[in-house]
Each structure stands twice: as structure tokens, then as C-alpha cells.
Amino acid sequence: MSGTTTYVRFQSTERNQRGIFTGIFGLANGLAREGRLTAEQHRFWRAANDWYDAAYTDPSRVDPAVYDPGVNPGAVAWFKTSATHLLDRAPG
């Protein structure tokens, strides 16, 4: 191993009911679904999700079972550290 970081994951600090640490998209989508975003935050969230959806395929649209805990327990998504065009949008 080269000792360099190849992937990074933005996630919650606590495990969810399935025992995993919810990722950035799940956290933001949950806040939006629960109505916990301000109008400005909601616009940002919607625009960001639309951009990511247009730029990259949601893995669960290709394989609906990809995050199914019975099929793929513990499955989570990561960013490549070289994908700066994706990571630059994450802090928002």
C-alpha cells in the first residue's frame, strides 16, 4: 500500500437503526424529508441533488438491492479523493 488516502466518506457520527453511519446524501435527504431545512437550505439541497443526479447515476437506480441490508449488509458509498469536482460541493 502506498499510504495515501484513495477514498473519503462524509457521514454521521452516530450509527442509524441499521447500525451504519448514514452518509452525506442520506443525512441531507432525511433533513429535507422531515422539513427541517430553511427555505434557503432547501433550495441549496435541491440544486445540489439535481446536479449530482444529472452528473452521476444513483447506484440504487442501477441495482435496487445495492443498499439492501439483507443482500449487501453494511454497503455504503465513498468519494474518490481525486474527484475534487464532487468533493468541492460537499461542504455546502
Side-chain angles (χ1 to χ4, degrees):
M1 282 180 45
S2 65
T4 61
T5 302
T6 306
Y7 297 95
V8 64
R9 179 169 166 78
F10 298 94
Q11 65 185 25
S12 64
T13 58
E14 296 180 20
R15 294 180 187 275
N16 67 13
Q17 66 277 7
R18 288 181 28 211
I20 64 168
F21 296 94
T22 305
I24 190 171
F25 294 106
L27 292 168
N29 292 343
L31 291 171
R33 203 173 27 253
E34 294 168 6
R36 297 177 58 192
L37 300 177
T38 66
E40 181 179 339
Q41 290 169 332
H42 193 274
R43 281 190 298 275
F44 176 86
W45 164 78
R46 183 70 271 150
N49 268 12
D50 289 346
W51 184 88
Y52 278 107
D53 287 345
Y56 295 93
T57 303
D58 177 342
S60 62
R61 292 184 191 262
V62 175
D63 179 1
V66 72
Y67 296 119
D68 182 321
V71 177
N72 297 305
V76 295
W78 294 74
F79 288 96
K80 283 187 173 183
T81 55
S82 60
T84 56
H85 65 293
L86 299 176
L87 295 171
D88 287 346
R89 293 176 170 270

